[in-house]
Amino acid sequence: MATVAEVQHRQSTIVALTRELGRCSVSDLAAQFDVTPETIRRDLKVLESQGLLRRVHGGAVIGAPSNHADLLAVDDDDELPVHQSQRRKQSIGQKALSLIPGPHASMLIDAGSTTEAFANVLARNYLGQDWSVVTTSPNIAKSLASAGVPHVSMIGGTVKPRTQAIVGPRAQDELRVLRADIAFLGTSGFSLERGFTTSDSREAEIKKLIINQANFSVVLCDSAKISKDSTLTFAMPDDVEAIISDRNAPKSLEDALLPTHTRLVIP
């Protein structure tokens, strides 16, 4: 049986990991500490009662407890362990922060797990900037508004249950009348031949509009998505100004992108 000190150490480590990664998984934590999932769930319940994190399905995220079920965006084809995937997304989000053109920037932010990680970085780095953000993600809108970002708007339309993306004709109409300094988008896959891809025609139309309505477009693409294709192309490399990936991206990709004039950014 674990001592009080061992339990306290485990729980403090869980909080630290969740703050670093944005999210923790019950199964990953159980394996890391060599305890049962039930033990981790009890830890998370205690930590939530202390206001140190918020339990969600399969794990926990940083934030105060809420009275409703939280639905986080999920990548259908993410094959990495949660902690590894989240670490990559957080590093991409941190690098994306450096591309924001200034404290008065206007932004369009696409729905998705990587853009949610970027939004978490934005929230942690909000220090009174006069950012204006329009997003197609309820989760991103909530995260940024809760952090105090002054001008946060959410596009109206139909919310997809799994990806938490707002889609449909209403969303398209609202995007067409907007302009932004910079756009941040996610993608299901990327290859030089087929460009950036997604499996949903409704999301493809939204992503195309986001790119069209921004002066500068950035795709947040973790290395697991590179050389993987989904069903529909929503943009080619030269349709965007930059791609941010992680350190596991192929070393040959930067040279391959030279003819497109699209910048590859690696944290």
Side-chain angles (χ1 to χ4, degrees):
M1 184 175 181
T3 65
V4 172
E6 288 171 338
V7 172
Q8 290 176 338
H9 174 72
R10 184 177 67 237
Q11 292 179 353
S12 65
T13 303
I14 289 171
V15 173
L17 285 170
T18 308
R19 284 177 176 164
E20 177 188 355
L21 303 176
R23 175 178 180 141
C24 67
S25 159
V26 169
S27 57
D28 288 345
L29 291 172
Q32 178 170 339
F33 293 107
D34 193 24
V35 297
T36 65
E38 289 72 22
T39 297
I40 296 297
R41 292 190 185 96
R42 286 195 295 270
D43 287 338
L44 297 182
K45 186 174 182 179
V46 169
L47 294 170
E48 183 180 55
S49 70
Q50 297 171 354
L52 297 173
L53 48 72
R54 184 171 76 251
R55 288 182 295 164
V56 296
H57 180 70
V61 298
I62 285 297
S66 62
N67 294 324
H68 62 277
D70 290 275
L71 296 173
L72 299 183
V74 176
D75 288 341
D76 292 330
D77 53 359
D78 200 340
E79 299 172 356
L80 294 172
V82 169
H83 70 281
Q84 186 177 349
S85 174
Q86 287 297 317
R87 186 174 289 114
R88 292 185 182 185
K89 295 177 195 301
Q90 287 293 315
S91 70
I92 290 170
Q94 192 67 46
K95 193 64 181 179
L97 185 70
S98 67
L99 297 187
I100 297 174
H104 304 286
S106 57
M107 296 177 252
L108 283 170
I109 304 181
D110 183 28
S113 60
T114 311
T115 50
E116 280 189 27
F118 168 56
N120 290 335
V121 172
L122 277 182
R124 290 197 299 270
N125 286 272
Y126 177 67
L127 300 172
Q129 298 94 328
D130 191 33
W131 289 327
S132 295
V133 178
V134 177
T135 182
T136 58
S137 163
N139 294 335
I140 289 174
K142 177 183 176 182
S143 176
L144 296 180
S146 298
V149 177
H151 312 293
V152 180
S153 301
M154 190 170 63
I155 292 296
T158 302
V159 182
K160 291 183 57 183
R162 186 166 177 82
T163 64
Q164 291 288 284
I166 298 175
V167 296
R170 177 181 171 186
Q172 294 175 35
D173 289 343
E174 292 186 16
L175 281 169
R176 287 190 183 101
V177 299
L178 297 176
R179 290 298 303 173
D181 296 320
I182 190 166
F184 296 95
L185 301 99
T187 186
S188 297
F190 170 66
S191 67
L192 291 171
E193 297 76 21
R194 295 201 54 221
F196 304 101
T197 56
T198 181
S199 61
D200 190 307
S201 60
R202 298 171 298 171
E203 287 199 50
E205 292 304 314
I206 294 296
K207 291 173 185 291
K208 289 176 184 177
L209 280 168
I210 289 174
I211 291 170
N212 288 340
Q213 304 307 114
N215 297 331
F216 191 97
S217 296
V218 183
V219 177
L220 310 182
C221 178
D222 71 71
S223 57
K225 307 290 181 60
I226 296 174
S227 298
K228 293 179 67 175
D229 287 333
S230 197
T231 313
L232 301 165
T233 297
F234 64 86
M236 295 302 293
D238 54 5
D239 292 324
V240 304
E241 282 68 35
I243 302 168
I244 304 181
S245 191
D246 57 75
R247 294 178 181 177
N248 294 287
K251 298 185 183 303
S252 60
L253 183 57
E254 185 172 10
D255 289 339
L257 286 169
L258 286 176
T260 71
H261 305 292
T262 300
R263 177 184 173 195
L264 177 64
V265 181
I266 302 293

